[in-house]
Amino acid sequence: MKKRIIAGNWKMYKTSSEAKDLVHGILNGMKEMNLPADREVLVFPPVIHVKEVHEMAKGSKLSVGVQNMYFEAEGAFTGEVSPKMVKDAGAKYILIGHSERRHIFKESDELLNKKVKAAYDNDLIPMLCIGELLEEYEAGKTNEVCKKQLVEGLKDITADQAKKLTVAYEPVWAIGTGKVATPEIAESVQKYVRSVLADMFGQDIADLIPILYGGSAKPDNAAGLLSQPNVDGLLIGGACLKADSFLAIAKL
Ligand code: PEP
């Protein structure tokens, strides 16, 4: 069964006490909701809070992921965390290739591919983020950019591994800008993304892979996006930082 995933990327926000307040709010709200069995609610806190959020979420339906990790098992890599460490802290998912990692920290598709492989080697579910810049969108290169990011980011991944893959299409021009893609744009790109995944792994597996949309998703535009057949969930930045707005989307 393909899941609908509503995921919140906290980015570099929330102190420890703010993180606890937010998780309390989310957990209390979730208790009052009758979430359908196919729904997964997921948060990506800053890595320093992951263990605590995982402990708080035990016994609930809230899953936890990490926003970034290095691919090596251990070693002299100052400032990095390893796949084993994030697994040990309770992470189930790992966000790989968020546009801020690609464009601020200059992470290449080759590096991201190593992180995807490391995720599988450590029983973490990769959420590979892809998406085009504004100038690429305006030049009509969206599909070309997404295909390259998928093919290179998922190089040497087997069909069996792809059964656990999740993908987030996040047009860079829509992230944190308030300029959301229309449901029709999201659907058209995500349909294409699924066709690329079908070429790589077969249609049956591609049909199982949740493809999320991300970029200025909010309570007032989420239903339209989620009504599209190839929008299997949302990756939310700004609107996930308050329990009310995050839950308003999670319960749709
Ligand atoms: C994101 O950071 O992945 C994101 C989609 O942010 P926002 O919702 O704020 O555009």
Side-chain angles (χ1 to χ4, degrees), residues 9 11 98 100 170 174-177 214-218 235-239:
N9 171 16
K11 309 193 187 200
H98 187 277
E100 287 145 22
E170 299 206 299
I175 299 179
T177 59
S216 298
K218 309 266 181 261
L235 179 55
I236 305 155

Side-chain angles (χ1 to χ4, degrees), residues 124-137:
L124 292 158
I125 302 176
M127 183 173 288
L128 180 66
C129 301
I130 59 170
E132 80 285 4
L133 296 163
L134 180 61
E135 57 264 36
E136 293 166 333
Y137 173 71

Side-chain angles (χ1 to χ4, degrees), residues 63-110:
S63 304
V64 188
V66 167
Q67 297 170 21
N68 181 40
M69 66 179 185
Y70 199 47
F71 66 89
E72 293 282 5
E74 59 182 8
F77 304 105
T78 301
E80 296 291 331
V81 294
S82 75
K84 201 169 158 186
M85 290 171 194
V86 303
K87 181 80 192 168
D88 185 50
K92 177 175 173 190
Y93 283 82
I94 170 75
L95 208 53
I96 298 177
H98 187 277
S99 79
E100 287 145 22
R101 301 295 321 167
R102 289 179 185 268
H103 300 294
I104 301 175
F105 299 100
K106 308 290 175 211
E107 295 195 356
S108 65
D109 288 309
E110 192 185 351

Side-chain angles (χ1 to χ4, degrees), residues 23-247:
V23 176
H24 272 304
I26 294 171
L27 291 173
N28 285 340
M30 282 174 68
K31 268 189 225 149
E32 284 155 28
M33 281 176 201
N34 200 5
L35 287 175
D38 70 343
R39 189 72 39 92
E40 180 156 19
V41 183
L42 165 66
V43 287
F44 291 100
V47 69
I48 197 163
H49 303 319
V50 167
K51 195 174 172 65
E52 184 150 40
V53 175
H54 167 68
E55 294 295 332
M56 290 176 75
K58 268 187 190 159
S60 79
K61 284 175 143 189
L62 181 68
S63 304
V64 188
V66 167
Q67 297 170 21
N68 181 40
M69 66 179 185
Y70 199 47
F71 66 89
E72 293 282 5
E74 59 182 8
F77 304 105
T78 301
E80 296 291 331
V81 294
S82 75
K84 201 169 158 186
M85 290 171 194
V86 303
K87 181 80 192 168
D88 185 50
K92 177 175 173 190
Y93 283 82
I94 170 75
L95 208 53
I96 298 177
H98 187 277
S99 79
E100 287 145 22
R101 301 295 321 167
R102 289 179 185 268
H103 300 294
I104 301 175
F105 299 100
K106 308 290 175 211
E107 295 195 356
S108 65
D109 288 309
E110 192 185 351
L111 173 69
L112 300 176
N113 178 241
K114 290 182 178 159
K115 295 188 181 195
V116 172
K117 290 176 180 164
Y120 284 118
D121 289 346
N122 289 275
D123 196 25
L124 292 158
I125 302 176
M127 183 173 288
L128 180 66
C129 301
I130 59 170
E132 80 285 4
L133 296 163
L134 180 61
E135 57 264 36
E136 293 166 333
Y137 173 71
E138 287 173 344
K141 290 188 174 161
T142 299
N143 287 1
E144 188 188 320
V145 171
C146 290
K147 181 174 183 177
K148 179 177 181 294
Q149 291 175 346
L150 285 171
V151 169
E152 295 185 12
L154 299 174
K155 189 166 167 271
D156 300 325
I157 297 307
T158 65
D160 206 40
Q161 288 174 316
K163 287 180 190 160
K164 273 183 79 181
L165 178 67
T166 56
V167 173
Y169 167 58
E170 299 206 299
V172 181
W173 47 269
I175 299 179
T177 59
K179 270 193 244 164
V180 63
T182 62
E184 293 71 26
I185 295 174
E187 171 60 18
S188 142
V189 180
Q190 296 191 196
K191 190 174 175 192
Y192 175 74
V193 165
R194 198 175 308 283
S195 76
V196 174
L197 294 170
D199 289 344
M200 295 175 78
F201 304 115
Q203 190 67 53
D204 288 354
I205 289 174
D207 285 341
L208 284 175
I209 298 174
I211 305 175
L212 284 66
Y213 166 81
S216 298
K218 309 266 181 261
D220 62 353
N221 58 31
L225 291 159
L226 289 166
S227 69
Q228 301 300 311
N230 285 286
V231 177
D232 305 315
L234 295 170
L235 179 55
I236 305 155
C240 81
L241 296 173
K242 290 204 170 111
D244 286 358
S245 47
F246 185 53
L247 290 169

